[in-house]
Amino acid sequence: MHSSKTPNTMKGSDLFIKALEQEGVTRIFGIPGEENLDLLESLRGSPIELILTRHEQAAGFMAATVGRLTGIPGVCLSTLGPGATNLVTAAAYAQLGGMPMLMVTGQKPIRRSKQGLFQVIDFVDMMTPVTKFSEQIVSADTIPARVREACRLSEEERPGATLLELPEDIAAEETELLPLAASYVRRPQPEVKSLQRTLELLRQAKSPLIIIGAGANRKLTAKILRKFVDKQGIPFITTQMGKGVIDERHPLFLGNAALSDGDFLHRAIKHADLILNVGHDVVEKPPFFMNGNEVEVVHINFNSARVDAVYHPQTEVVGDIANSIWQINEDLTPQACWDFRYFDTVRSAMDKHILEGADDPSFPLKPQRIVADIRAAVPNCGIIALDNGMYKIWFARNYRAYCPNTVLLDNALATMGAGLPSAMAAKLVHPERKVTAICGDGGFMMNSQELETAMRLKLDLVVVVLNDNAYGMIKWKQANMSFDDWGLDFTNPDFVKYAESYGANGHRISDSDQLVALLEKCHADGGVHLIEVPVDYSESDGILNKEIKELSAQI
């Protein structure tokens, strides 16, 4: 359907909402202001649900997570000025994380100023560096094309954030246009010669290895990748944002690239003579370094490689990832020259190492025990949403993901404060699944006010707060860089009473054997539950830094 003149007119804000409906938007997260009142009134008669949050940043995190899980841009709303600037971190979170999101912000009338420059900043220009598309709507007649373009670019590989600023007078302006329908788009297939080159390399390789990155977690490539691994028998690892693309109980799964270098996994990468790098995203910490390394790398992705000193693949297979893998799989059989004995040794050592500390009875709980207990209490395709902190490394390494997009972590912007809003959005998208937010005490308090939103939405949600009364990740780095322990400790509220003040259920672990049963009970009872878990990170220095390098050197 194309835009066309009709006898009926409507406000620009009505047209804007109808255009969002046309795009498949079902929820808008945010905090309206005076400049959004026309849009708010238009939304009142729409099937789109308005979810009022307590902070614009949380609304942005929730919208980004909706985009991550559905592939349709999540939408968030703010007024102008300070409301809009509160979306900057969430915009960067979506942009770096490859999550489709559309921000809608208000603005003073642009044709006749009422209040001079009160609260007015050039937010469109401000957001240009952290979005794919940032534009002010200057006429109601341009709304259909602008909404379509913002959503199209947001969804298109590589996905990310877009912004539309809707001034107050444009929202009230009459128009006779209708929304634009989405065009039919198919991603291109890879070029034949690049596939032939990849097949030649695979047939000549001795120790090929697959690395699965964030891009493979976006377009439902899991099925074909699993078929490829099962048929060819090539071992695989994942990046943090590639977790779960293939069930990590698979016998060919070697582990997750959570550290920078020196552990079991990186020993395996250095042993490989050919790497199939599937869905690599340059925003993640690189799982390997090509400078001085003779390894042959095949880049398999929707887009060509972004070359830098660390990453400069010799072969690129550009096009739909699933189609690329399918075509390679059709023309390849396991080769007699392949030798995976070293990888088998790595996998055995890694599996043994992961089990260390999983039943540690000490209290406060060690992170290995926390990860093991949460994995035991979470159903196969239950979702955990991580904030950022020391524990994220432990979960990336030790927590096995069984289904795609069931470990929602941010290894791109790596911002604190996203864990709780992300979990809330996941529960809205997947109400049938058990969802657990896992937050450090520092990150949780950055958006803890959204407990009220969760209560108002009547969500069934468990929030685990790991309490060490400090910014633990930075303390760990401070110690490892030989700085004095200073400037990173704080005190927390009584988290049980804090949860109860919102009407939620508050719990505190006082024994190492309580967590699994309490998690299971909280999920079974329903409602919002906060569980405070005292955590001891003292082993992080040994296991994640020194001991693991010594152990891995034995392989």
Side-chain angles (χ1 to χ4, degrees):
M1 180 178 67
H2 298 284
S3 291
S4 60
K5 294 287 183 178
T6 72
N8 299 316
T9 62
M10 68 179 87
K11 290 195 305 183
S13 59
D14 292 336
L15 178 58
F16 195 99
I17 294 300
K18 288 184 182 297
L20 293 180
E21 292 171 6
Q22 181 84 4
E23 297 291 337
V25 174
T26 59
R27 299 180 181 91
I28 295 178
F29 305 89
I31 305 175
E34 173 188 344
E35 291 71 27
N36 308 120
L37 290 180
D38 276 296
L39 194 69
L40 194 65
E41 178 62 18
S42 298
L43 192 57
R44 188 165 68 92
S46 169
I48 296 176
E49 179 184 8
L50 172 66
I51 295 181
L52 194 68
T53 60
R54 303 307 300 267
H55 196 286
E56 291 88 356
Q57 186 187 89
F61 289 147
M62 294 176 77
T65 302
V66 167
R68 178 180 192 170
L69 294 175
T70 67
I72 297 172
V75 179
C76 54
L77 171 69
S78 82
T79 186
L80 79 169
T85 57
N86 279 342
L87 290 175
V88 173
T89 299
Y93 172 80
Q95 183 76 352
L96 266 67
M99 307 175 200
M101 178 177 78
L102 169 60
M103 296 168 285
V104 181
T105 59
Q107 187 53 274
K108 296 294 183 185
I110 56 175
R111 292 180 177 163
R112 181 176 298 174
S113 174
K114 294 190 299 182
Q115 295 174 308
L117 294 180
F118 175 67
Q119 290 193 315
V120 174
I121 59 170
D122 189 342
F123 192 64
V124 172
D125 270 3
M126 179 178 176
M127 294 298 279
T128 298
V130 290
T131 59
K132 296 179 72 176
F133 176 86
S134 180
E135 191 165 305
Q136 182 185 78
I137 297 176
V138 297
S139 166
D141 285 347
T142 66
I143 286 173
R146 296 302 84 200
V147 172
R148 176 81 280 273
E149 181 69 350
C151 291
R152 183 189 70 81
L153 287 173
S154 181
E155 294 177 13
E156 185 180 69
E157 284 293 334
R158 182 180 180 270
T162 57
L163 165 71
L164 287 175
E165 184 179 79
L166 182 61
E168 187 177 353
D169 52 350
I170 305 304
E173 186 177 83
E174 295 290 325
T175 179
E176 296 179 339
L177 298 188
L178 295 174
L180 286 170
S183 55
Y184 177 76
V185 178
R186 292 287 295 175
R187 289 180 296 277
Q189 295 186 17
E191 200 271 333
V192 172
K193 290 183 179 179
S194 67
L195 292 170
Q196 292 174 341
R197 170 67 178 159
T198 302
L199 288 166
E200 290 172 8
L201 291 170
L202 281 162
R203 290 170 182 143
Q204 296 167 6
K206 293 182 179 179
S207 299
L209 180 67
I210 302 168
I211 297 180
I212 300 174
N217 221 348
R218 287 201 290 265
K219 298 296 183 184
L220 302 179
T221 59
K223 185 177 180 181
I224 188 61
L225 271 170
R226 174 64 188 254
K227 287 183 177 180
F228 181 81
V229 168
D230 286 345
K231 177 183 174 182
Q232 307 301 336
I234 301 175
F236 68 96
I237 69 174
T238 70
T239 66
Q240 291 187 39
M241 293 182 74
K243 285 186 69 66
V245 174
I246 300 177
D247 189 331
E248 293 176 0
R249 293 169 293 187
H250 196 288
L252 293 172
F253 174 65
L254 299 185
N256 178 269
L259 300 180
S260 296
D261 199 8
D263 66 342
F264 300 113
L265 208 63
H266 289 88
R267 300 277 172 171
I269 293 171
K270 289 177 180 178
H271 179 79
D273 63 346
L274 174 64
I275 292 175
L276 298 185
N277 204 16
V278 183
H280 172 72
D281 198 322
V282 73
V283 301
E284 289 204 81
K285 289 183 178 179
F288 61 92
F289 302 89
M290 292 185 66
N291 44 327
N293 193 340
E294 297 302 319
V295 66
E296 190 85 21
V297 176
V298 178
H299 174 91
I300 303 176
N301 213 331
F302 301 106
N303 306 107
S304 59
R306 182 174 174 179
V307 172
D308 57 25
V310 169
Y311 186 64
H312 40 91
Q314 298 91 338
T315 302
E316 299 188 38
V317 180
V318 179
D320 182 81
I321 291 177
N323 185 272
S324 299
I325 297 296
W326 176 79
Q327 290 200 56
I328 295 169
N329 201 37
E330 286 292 294
D331 293 333
L332 183 70
T333 57
Q335 302 295 297
C337 58
W338 291 348
D339 183 354
F340 298 129
R341 286 175 295 177
Y342 185 86
F343 295 148
D344 292 340
T345 303
V346 170
R347 181 171 55 255
S348 297
M350 188 69 179
D351 289 345
K352 181 180 178 182
H353 183 69
I354 292 296
L355 292 174
E356 293 178 7
D359 57 355
D360 190 319
S362 58
F363 186 86
L365 275 71
K366 300 291 174 58
Q368 308 98 297
R369 176 66 184 270
I370 293 170
V371 174
D373 284 0
I374 290 178
R375 178 65 277 184
V378 171
N380 284 1
C381 287
I383 296 173
I384 63 170
L386 299 175
D387 212 290
N388 271 274
M390 192 73 219
Y391 53 89
K392 190 182 77 169
I393 294 177
W394 288 99
F395 273 90
R397 294 181 70 252
N398 292 27
Y399 186 95
R400 295 292 168 92
Y402 304 154
C403 303
N405 279 314
T406 53
V407 177
L408 304 182
L409 57 77
D410 169 22
N411 194 37
L413 185 65
T415 181
M416 298 172 70
L420 174 57
S422 181
M424 292 164 60
K427 188 63 182 180
L428 289 169
V429 173
H430 292 295
E432 77 286 358
R433 295 194 188 181
K434 306 296 185 185
V435 178
T436 307
I438 301 165
C439 309
D441 45 359
F444 171 72
M445 289 304 293
M446 291 183 181
N447 272 308
S448 63
Q449 73 284 342
E450 300 306 328
L451 283 176
E452 188 278 327
T453 308
M455 289 296 299
R456 182 167 19 96
L457 295 173
K458 297 181 170 57
L459 298 182
D460 296 327
L461 183 70
V462 178
V463 183
V464 175
V465 178
L466 306 180
N467 187 1
D468 67 338
N469 292 297
Y471 292 116
M473 170 69 87
I474 309 306
K475 280 178 69 74
W476 176 65
K477 290 182 179 292
Q478 187 179 54
N480 277 273
M481 295 173 71
S482 301
F483 290 104
D484 290 337
D485 181 359
W486 185 83
L488 295 168
D489 296 303
F490 50 72
T491 57
N492 283 309
D494 183 322
F495 284 118
V496 172
K497 292 181 179 178
Y498 186 74
E500 291 173 348
S501 72
Y502 288 104
N505 302 281
H507 314 269
R508 181 179 295 110
I509 294 294
S510 58
D511 182 89
S512 61
D513 292 328
Q514 293 177 333
L515 184 55
V516 173
L518 180 56
L519 277 166
E520 291 174 343
K521 184 178 187 304
C522 290
H523 279 303
D525 289 349
V528 179
H529 294 261
L530 183 150
I531 303 174
E532 179 188 344
V533 180
V535 59
D536 175 8
Y537 288 126
S538 62
E539 290 191 8
S540 295
D541 181 49
I543 291 180
L544 292 184
N545 186 26
K546 299 174 183 176
E547 292 181 19
I548 196 163
K549 291 185 178 181
E550 295 171 2
L551 288 167
S552 61
Q554 300 171 15
I555 296 176

